[in-house]
Amino acid sequence: MPETYSTDKSFALQLDATDPLKHFRERFHIPTQNNQELIYFCGNSLGLQPKSTRAYIEQELTDWQHLGVEGHLHGKNPWFYYHHFLTESAARLVGALPKEVVVMNALTVNLNLLMISFYRPTPKRYKVIMEYMAFPSDQYAVENQVKFHGYDPFDAIIELTPREGEATLRTEDIQAVIAQHQNEVALIMLGGVNYYTGQLFDMEAITRFAKQCSNDIVVGFDLAHAAGNVTMQLHDWDVDFACWCSYKYLNSGPGGTSGVFIHEKHAQNQSLPRLSGWWGNDEKTRFKMQKGFIPQEGAAGWQMSNAQILPMAAHRASLAIFDEAGMEALVHKSKLLTGYLEFLLLNGKRKDFSIITPADPAQRGCQLSIVMQQNGKAVFDTLTQQGIIADWREPDVIRVAPVPLYNTFEEVWHFADRFHSA
Ligand SMILES: *Cc1c(COP(=O)(O)O)cnc(C)c1O
């Protein structure tokens, strides 16, 4: 990390020239307008398309075309086993053992499936701790799981709120809430990175603290904004379960498939209720069409339907790129890139804004959330007209995410330049 950043454009060009990951940008389709490449800082919402994606999908279309149903066993990548091809790479991304991970379904579907198994309320212990203003899909999922078990969401859901005058949560405050409710909490369900503020939670400290309070507290994370953005060690941290989508930082296409983590300690636990289907059954007897569900060991045993080959093919293309680049190198560049953006934002002429994302690099990924004091939407619209794709959240937030795989320091410089003059 450089001692100091500089506002000179030449500094940005120099960082790009020495960036060991710079060639990865060529692997992506960069959206254009009037033949000009747009500055795309929306990889936290929908990641860009790898140029290799088409070939991965075409391979499956070709096998379907030529083999029909035979593709299940005789395709180049037999569909019967297709999820296996994703498991190891997906596990690396979140710091898990392969048997702890499976790719299937979509994110909110998985969140609901996992809560069926891991939210097991009792009359004494039925509460759920989550973030205030969690992503709406997570709010709705938790609210309805609570109702499904006959509890009142207003009573059962404990929301973590920042201190007066602060925008993000302090780990010690999260722990204090856990301690206060330690005898009635069944589940802690947080985002790994909050979608709105960009805050990365200390998942390890939160999980450890919760387990110290009571082994009956289950800890799960929604990693939609963490997977492919930050490094994690879910296995070592003793997280019970997690799920994430593949279309944000993981560049696997709109509505893409989802990843699931279930800690090894639950792998053989047959007493956990689960919603089940044939794909979670032991592969040796899956096509025998017999009575009696025999779950596969580990996360794969939570599968229900046969694999969605086309979105999984897109995901596979993207995971190959992550394997090649490596999360450590990506995070190293990400910290430089985001730090540079922060520096340029704070050292320009515009002062009518604040950054609510934590300034501590250990508490964020590559997103910065900028709160505008006035005319925020007008500034955002001007930036859009100037070829910058960022994200607007009512009432006053611009979210910007320079991602290390395909964004450049020069783009960050241009963004800041236009932001200060917009
Ligand atoms: C993006 C996102 C979702 C979206 O869920 P889908 O089921 O993929 O539509 C859910 N939760 C969080 C925290 C997200 O960031």
Side-chain angles (χ1 to χ4, degrees), residues 106-109 135 137-138 195 222 224-225 245 247-248:
L107 171 56
T108 311
V109 172
F135 194 89
S137 203
D138 301 41
Y195 84 100
D222 181 332
H225 282 262
C245 58
Y247 51 82
K248 291 173 178 167

Side-chain angles (χ1 to χ4, degrees), residues 178-210:
I178 297 171
Q180 187 192 341
H181 297 281
Q182 57 184 294
N183 297 321
E184 46 184 8
V185 171
L187 172 67
I188 299 172
M189 175 68 233
L190 299 180
V193 173
N194 181 273
Y195 84 100
Y196 189 76
T197 63
Q199 179 180 18
L200 165 60
F201 294 114
D202 190 339
M203 293 181 248
E204 181 181 16
I206 293 167
T207 308
R208 190 183 328 111
F209 187 86

Side-chain angles (χ1 to χ4, degrees), residues 144 179 291 333:
N144 285 300
K291 251 192 178 331
K333 175 173 172 188

Side-chain angles (χ1 to χ4, degrees), residues 28 43-50 53 86 90 93-94 102-108 110 222-229 243-260 308-319 322 405-406:
F28 289 84
N44 56 344
S45 189
L46 183 72
L48 292 182
Q49 182 187 142
T53 303
L86 303 157
L93 280 180
V94 297
V102 70
V103 171
M104 60 181 187
N105 309 321
L107 171 56
T108 311
N110 286 335
D222 181 332
L223 303 176
H225 282 262
N229 181 20
C243 47
W244 54 95
C245 58
S246 65
Y247 51 82
K248 291 173 178 167
Y249 294 101
L250 292 178
N251 309 323
S252 303
T257 186
S258 161
V260 161
Q308 293 155 299
I309 302 303
L310 300 182
M312 285 187 175
H315 193 30
R316 215 179 152 201
S318 169
L319 288 173
F322 275 87
L405 267 176
Y406 49 75

